[in-house]
Amino acid sequence: MKKIITKKILNEHNISSKEYNMILNIMGREPNILELGIFSVMWSEHCSYKSTKKWLKTLPISNDKVICGPGENAGIIDIGNNDAIIFKMESHNHPSFIEPYQGAATGVGGIMRDVFTMGARPIANLNSLRFGDPKNKKTKNLLRGVVKGIGDYGNCVGIPTVGGECFFHKSYNNNILVNAMSVGLVKKNKIFYATAKGVGNPIIYVGAKTGRDGIHGATMASAEFTDDSEKQRPQVQVGDPFVEKLLLESCLELMNQDVIVAIQDMGAAGLTSSSFEMASKGDCGVDLFLDKVPCREKEMIPYEMMLSETQERMLMIIKPEKRKETYKIFKKWGLEAVEIGKLTNTNKMNLYFNKELVGTLPIKPLADSAPEYDRPSSKPKRLKKKKAIKKIISKEKLKKVLITILSSPNHSSKSWIFNQYDSSVMGDTIFASEMADAAVIRIHNSKKAISITSDCNPIYCKADPKLGAEIAVAESWRNLISTGADPIAITDNLNFGNPEKKEIMYEIKQAIKGIKKACEELNYPVVSGNVSLYNETKGKAILPTPVIGGVGLIKNLNYRKGFKMNEKSFIYLVGKSKGHLDLSVFNQHLNIKGGNPPKVNFTEEINNGNFVKKLIQKTKIIDGCHDISEGGVALALAELCIANKMGMKINFLKNKKQPEKILFCEDQSRYILIVNNKKAFESLARNDGISFQKIGIVGGKYLDFESQFKITVKKLLKTNSKWFKNYLR
């Protein structure tokens, strides 16, 4: 008998000869094209995490607030009074480069479905964006398309986009990153999971009709880009936010009717992943009747139906006696719901089309037993320690560097982006972007709020992946602390190049080790996340970019803190400044290369963070708070002046021989506090053994570094706001 599966077909499905031999052993026969396609998406890097699974298992995933860690659609944490927060971050990198508007839009839609699939109403979205060099001919259009896609989708569904980050670097010229995070609110007794149960229970398809968009999307996301990548536009999903809104409201209504046994979003790998994953978790089998799948295109075949990644679709298992209620609710919302299958006790997926059995596959091996690789790794030569060159800096040069930083793509105001997002819809946004270190969202009809943030410094991660990842976690933790929150847990999105290359695999392993260490030290576990690999083109990989999304609880709205300043308040620096300038924004703008990221002393990190949190939560002596990160004290103070349109006099630089080390160093574990009671603050700080320094006072029209230089607040505002305006006009 002639073989159906050729080497060419295996290559088209991104399946290695070793993996194909595994498939033959599992099947006991040669698969047909449909069955091979199903293996290809379920065993893709995007769906199976086959290169990282071994290392992801080492991450801490629990504390006393975690209800559900990795393994479900999203992570869940307890915030008290029967309330829980469900959250996750996902990537839509490859699709967004090929088709920026739809790629970004459907990334937002997909992550929101992960959240409301579990019974939560989304209450906030964030995003973490990486673009190439602004001078690159593609960057401007990619930026416009991605931002518009994110804004349009979130605005149409009516979920506020409240924060995020945007970073430019030439390594992302041909591999932009679009990481989307969504946060939802649910009652603890109303959480839904994707565990199929009950032989004979009907399987219901609801939402948009299936089309040919997105076929092999998961496979595409598991391979490097080539010159032909832009021809893959048909593999990019097309979104409809209005259908998403209907799906959201109908599913949440249905969840209050004691109807649903299990529910799963049809995301990556579409009908395939949703059906296999639910069945595997419930140790059952499935019969699917593919001729019943609603299709919007003519003559679609089973292969296309199973691999399509058409958006705005759900798969659910319902109680058979509740069919009438189910159809009634979906009809009310104008959605088509169709019974396309049933649960069995076979532990197999049987696929029927026009009464013919067209495929049969064992469920567990596909869902749970994908290949797990311990890929070889080696330390990149670039990580050999190099000392940064020291330069003598004049006062005028210091001033010029600060102005340059404020007007640079990475540190200028992102208001052009944020203004396209509706951050106030739903009426519970307390702080959005540029108002505080993290976004703050009120829990409706309560006195509490959550604080949410995303963070990563790829420059640090390039120089030292482990330490860079530690810093990303610690920075997110400080961001939450600065708003008055108790940090609880994180979600991560690990963006790297090709894991089959030893040096890239080294970066991945080290970054995970860094996340592990930081999360363990801070009692700040990983409850959900995503891995996005093969972010490289023609052998050129992106900077290692392990993005961290953090969530914390503000127990009382009265605790919340942002960038507020009052005239004549005192400005204090909390934490030790050791003068670390290697890899700093300051050095980058002076073209000083080499060196390593600053180290994280977790004892100091915890002590300083807990002290700041205690001041915010238990006293009234703090007006505002800002953590210190990129750009050091100088940039943090400038941002406070800009946010308040108010000046300050900084008086701790007199007789300092190297003021740049004080102003621009990026040592960790530090905060700027705006204090209204000097005596009380200093007494509390001394009692707790906290390193602090009074550095100035609020007031005036200048950011005045006495004995060094000063800049008018007016100029700060103008300087900080002009880059995007000039770039996009």
Side-chain angles (χ1 to χ4, degrees):
M1 186 182 289
K2 187 179 178 182
K3 284 188 175 182
I4 300 171
I5 307 303
T6 64
K7 190 173 181 179
K8 182 182 177 185
I9 290 172
L10 291 176
N11 289 338
E12 288 171 349
H13 288 79
N14 208 21
I15 292 174
S16 69
S17 56
K18 182 181 178 181
E19 289 170 350
Y20 186 57
N21 286 331
M22 291 173 65
I23 293 170
L24 292 175
N25 288 332
I26 290 168
M27 298 289 286
R29 59 175 174 83
E30 186 184 39
N32 60 34
I33 293 292
L34 169 61
E35 293 164 338
L36 186 76
I38 288 170
F39 268 100
S40 79
V41 293
M42 290 299 291
W43 284 11
S44 68
E45 194 74 61
H46 191 73
C47 291
S48 73
Y49 300 163
K50 57 191 177 186
S51 296
T52 55
K53 203 183 306 181
K54 173 182 171 72
W55 305 102
L56 294 173
K57 291 176 182 176
T58 67
L59 293 172
I61 59 172
S62 63
N63 63 16
D64 61 349
K65 299 293 185 187
V66 174
I67 297 172
C68 176
E72 284 288 338
N73 285 298
I76 313 174
I77 57 174
D78 188 345
I79 62 167
N81 304 113
N82 198 37
D83 290 326
I85 293 294
I86 297 181
F87 66 102
K88 188 183 181 184
M89 186 181 289
E90 272 269 13
S91 62
H92 231 217
N93 302 335
H94 285 50
S96 297
F97 181 77
I98 295 169
E99 215 303 305
Y101 181 87
Q102 290 294 350
T106 52
V108 173
I111 195 62
M112 284 197 290
R113 288 195 300 281
D114 281 341
V115 167
F116 74 74
T117 293
M118 301 188 74
R121 178 173 292 280
I123 58 174
N125 292 333
L126 293 84
N127 53 77
S128 181
L129 311 177
R130 303 286 187 279
F131 296 100
D133 186 335
K135 295 176 182 177
N136 183 277
K137 62 181 181 180
K138 295 180 180 179
T139 299
K140 189 180 295 187
N141 286 335
L142 288 167
L143 172 66
R144 288 186 186 276
V146 166
V147 171
K148 187 169 175 54
I150 292 169
D152 284 359
Y153 204 100
N155 296 350
C156 289
V157 179
I159 308 301
T161 301
V162 296
E165 51 177 346
C166 180
F167 180 86
F168 298 86
H169 189 276
K170 64 182 181 182
S171 79
Y172 306 102
N173 279 352
N174 294 304
N175 289 89
I176 66 171
L177 302 184
V178 177
N179 294 177
M181 179 175 169
S182 190
V183 180
L185 177 67
V186 67
K187 294 295 180 183
K188 286 196 290 183
N189 59 343
K190 292 289 186 179
I191 297 170
F192 286 80
Y193 297 97
T195 304
K197 293 287 186 183
V199 173
N201 279 349
I203 301 171
I204 305 296
Y205 170 118
V206 64
K209 291 184 177 181
T210 296
R212 292 186 170 95
D213 51 319
I215 293 174
H216 279 302
T219 308
M220 176 188 71
S222 307
E224 292 182 33
F225 273 158
T226 66
D227 287 334
D228 294 327
S229 292
E230 294 197 38
K231 296 176 183 177
Q232 296 175 304
R233 221 171 275 275
Q235 295 180 14
V236 178
Q237 307 91 330
V238 178
D240 186 337
F242 299 105
V243 174
E244 178 102 347
K245 175 66 172 175
L246 298 175
L247 198 60
L248 163 65
E249 298 299 342
S250 59
C251 285
L252 292 180
E253 183 175 341
L254 199 66
M255 288 168 172
N256 288 319
Q257 303 296 319
D258 191 29
V259 170
I260 299 173
V261 176
I263 182 169
Q264 179 81 310
D265 161 44
M266 289 193 229
L271 184 55
T272 290
S273 63
S274 56
S275 57
F276 273 90
E277 288 171 7
M278 281 200 294
S280 178
K281 289 173 183 174
D283 292 314
C284 59
V286 170
D287 285 351
L288 286 183
F289 304 99
L290 298 177
D291 46 295
K292 295 184 178 181
V293 172
C295 294
R296 70 167 186 261
E297 298 183 47
K298 293 180 180 179
E299 299 180 354
M300 287 190 69
I301 60 174
Y303 181 97
E304 295 170 324
M305 294 176 194
M306 291 300 292
L307 271 62
S308 167
E309 294 185 6
T310 294
Q311 299 292 286
E312 295 86 37
R313 301 180 298 162
M314 289 285 189
L315 201 67
M316 60 183 68
I317 316 298
I318 67 166
K319 296 177 180 179
E321 68 274 17
K322 299 288 187 175
R323 284 184 174 93
K324 188 176 179 181
E325 291 96 319
T326 301
Y327 295 138
K328 184 178 179 181
I329 287 173
F330 285 129
K331 185 178 179 181
K332 168 189 165 183
W333 290 99
L335 294 173
E336 184 175 13
V338 180
E339 188 172 328
I340 65 167
K342 62 181 180 181
L343 299 184
T344 69
N345 60 2
T346 63
N347 292 113
K348 290 184 178 181
M349 178 73 66
N350 291 319
L351 303 171
Y352 297 89
F353 187 66
N354 294 332
K355 299 182 180 179
E356 180 185 350
L357 182 66
V358 294
T360 184
L361 300 111
I363 286 171
K364 283 287 185 181
L366 273 100
D368 303 337
S369 303
E372 183 175 318
Y373 295 127
D374 185 0
R375 297 196 186 277
S377 62
S378 63
K379 189 174 183 178
K381 292 178 181 178
R382 70 167 194 272
L383 296 186
K384 289 182 178 178
K385 307 302 181 185
K386 294 180 181 179
K387 290 185 178 180
I389 301 167
K390 294 180 180 179
K391 290 186 179 182
I392 298 171
I393 311 297
S394 67
K395 294 179 182 180
E396 280 304 307
K397 191 72 171 179
L398 287 176
K399 180 178 180 179
K400 187 177 178 181
V401 172
L402 179 57
I403 290 171
T404 302
I405 292 171
L406 283 166
S407 60
S408 67
N410 290 334
H411 297 96
S412 62
S413 169
K414 303 302 187 297
S415 58
W416 178 86
I417 296 175
F418 300 138
N419 288 343
Q420 295 185 59
Y421 307 153
D422 189 341
S423 62
S424 60
V425 65
M426 299 178 74
D428 287 318
T429 304
I430 306 296
F431 293 137
S433 294
E434 301 187 314
M435 298 164 63
D437 281 320
V440 175
I441 307 297
R442 175 176 57 198
I443 302 302
H444 202 65
N445 292 327
S446 81
K447 292 182 178 180
K448 59 191 177 187
I450 58 167
S451 182
I452 49 181
T453 185
S454 64
D455 206 270
C456 180
N457 185 328
I459 302 297
Y460 286 169
C461 295
K462 173 88 169 177
D464 188 327
K466 181 176 181 291
L467 186 49
E470 287 180 23
I471 291 170
V473 175
E475 167 72 1
S476 76
W477 192 81
R478 286 198 303 276
N479 286 341
L480 301 178
I481 291 279
S482 297
T483 63
D486 294 312
I488 297 177
I490 71 167
T491 181
D492 57 23
N493 206 133
L494 310 182
N495 307 274
F496 292 87
N498 184 346
E500 297 168 50
K501 296 178 179 179
K502 293 180 181 181
E503 293 190 350
I504 300 294
M505 197 63 223
Y506 178 88
E507 293 176 348
I508 296 168
K509 287 162 62 172
Q510 290 299 308
I512 293 172
K513 286 179 181 179
I515 294 169
K516 178 178 185 290
K517 178 174 175 60
C519 289
E520 287 175 343
E521 292 278 0
L522 299 171
N523 190 27
Y524 191 39
V526 184
V527 297
S528 61
N530 173 245
V531 176
S532 175
L533 306 182
Y534 296 95
N535 291 291
E536 61 180 87
T537 301
K538 296 182 180 180
K540 293 183 178 180
I542 62 166
L543 296 177
T545 313
V547 178
I548 304 298
V551 179
L553 173 65
I554 299 175
K555 296 173 184 175
N556 189 311
L557 276 170
N558 294 329
Y559 298 163
R560 69 187 190 271
K561 289 290 177 265
F563 292 162
K564 184 180 178 182
M565 300 197 305
N566 291 313
E567 287 274 356
K568 298 183 180 180
S569 289
F570 302 99
I571 306 166
Y572 280 86
L573 169 62
V574 169
K576 295 177 181 177
S577 299
K578 301 165 189 173
H580 191 101
L581 284 174
D582 288 5
L583 302 174
S584 66
V585 172
F586 179 83
N587 273 15
Q588 290 172 49
H589 282 277
L590 289 176
N591 201 30
I592 302 173
K593 299 178 181 178
N596 301 292
K599 290 184 178 178
V600 183
N601 182 319
F602 284 102
T603 301
E604 287 183 15
E605 194 73 64
I606 292 165
N607 289 343
N608 293 349
N610 286 342
F611 171 70
V612 171
K613 186 172 65 172
K614 181 176 74 173
L615 288 184
I616 293 173
Q617 294 182 357
K618 296 185 177 181
T619 78
K620 294 182 179 180
I621 66 175
I622 305 298
D623 294 333
C625 181
H626 192 356
D627 93 299
I628 298 170
S629 55
E630 294 173 27
V633 170
L635 186 57
L637 294 175
E639 288 170 344
L640 286 168
C641 290
I642 290 167
N644 291 273
K645 298 180 181 177
M646 192 180 294
M648 54 178 65
K649 292 181 180 179
I650 305 301
N651 54 20
F652 75 134
L653 296 170
K654 197 173 181 180
N655 300 321
K656 301 295 183 183
K657 290 183 179 179
Q658 291 182 294
E660 67 274 13
K661 284 191 172 185
I662 300 168
L663 286 176
F664 293 98
C665 71
E666 296 183 7
D667 297 294
Q668 301 295 290
S669 316
R670 298 184 301 155
Y671 301 81
I672 296 291
L673 296 182
I674 308 301
V675 175
N676 57 51
N677 189 323
K678 174 184 170 185
K679 187 177 178 180
F681 171 82
E682 293 188 0
S683 174
L684 289 165
R686 289 191 186 99
N687 286 342
D688 282 18
I690 299 298
S691 176
F692 71 91
Q693 190 176 2
K694 179 177 168 293
I695 64 172
I697 192 166
V698 177
K701 296 180 180 180
Y702 293 86
L703 171 57
D704 186 355
F705 295 102
E706 293 181 355
S707 80
Q708 296 297 326
F709 65 89
K710 62 182 181 180
I711 309 171
T712 65
V713 174
K714 188 176 180 180
K715 185 171 182 177
L716 290 174
L717 285 160
K718 186 178 178 181
T719 298
N720 192 233
S721 65
K722 70 181 183 181
W723 187 83
F724 273 90
K725 291 178 184 176
N726 292 339
Y727 183 62
L728 294 163
R729 64 185 176 186

